Amino acid sequence: MHPIKLIIIAILLYLGYRLLTSNRRKRLNKNTNNSASDTKADGVIEDVLVEDPICHKLVPKQQAVRLKLKDTDTIVYFCSEKCCNLFVTQEGEKK
Ligand SMILES: [Zn+2]
C-alpha cells in the first residue's frame, strides 16, 4: 500500500474518533445544563404518559390539559379541552 494512503486513512480514523468523542462530550454537557430538553431530544423518560379519565387515552404529561380538583388538590390530565369540560360537567352532575 502507498504510504500516503496509510496517512489519509489514519487522518480519517482520527477525525472519526474526534467526531465521536466530541458528540459524547456535548451530550454530557447538555445533561448537566438542562436535562429536560435533552431527555426530550433522546425521546425517553421526560414524557410521562398520563391517562385521560374521560376517553382513557394516554397523553404525554407535558401536552396534557391539566385540571386541579378543588376538593382533593389532585391534578387530573386530559387529552383535550373537550375531555376536560366533559369531566367538569360530569363531576357537577354527581353532586
Ligand atoms: Zn380525552
Side-chain angles (χ1 to χ4, degrees), residues 34-75:
N34 50 351
S35 56
S37 65
D38 189 55
T39 44
K40 217 177 186 181
D42 287 339
V44 272
I45 303 165
E46 187 52 41
D47 266 356
V48 180
L49 290 176
V50 286
E51 194 182 342
D52 183 321
I54 297 299
C55 66
H56 300 284
K57 203 197 264 182
L58 292 173
V59 209
K61 204 171 188 174
Q62 298 207 328
Q63 292 166 35
V65 177
R66 286 152 204 243
L67 177 74
K68 197 174 175 187
L69 297 179
K70 280 172 194 166
D71 336 338
T72 51
D73 250 24
T74 43
I75 297 170

Side-chain angles (χ1 to χ4, degrees), residues 52-57 59 77-80 82-84:
D52 183 321
I54 297 299
C55 66
H56 300 284
K57 203 197 264 182
V59 209
Y77 298 92
F78 303 93
C79 70
S80 64
K82 205 175 154 190
C83 282
C84 180

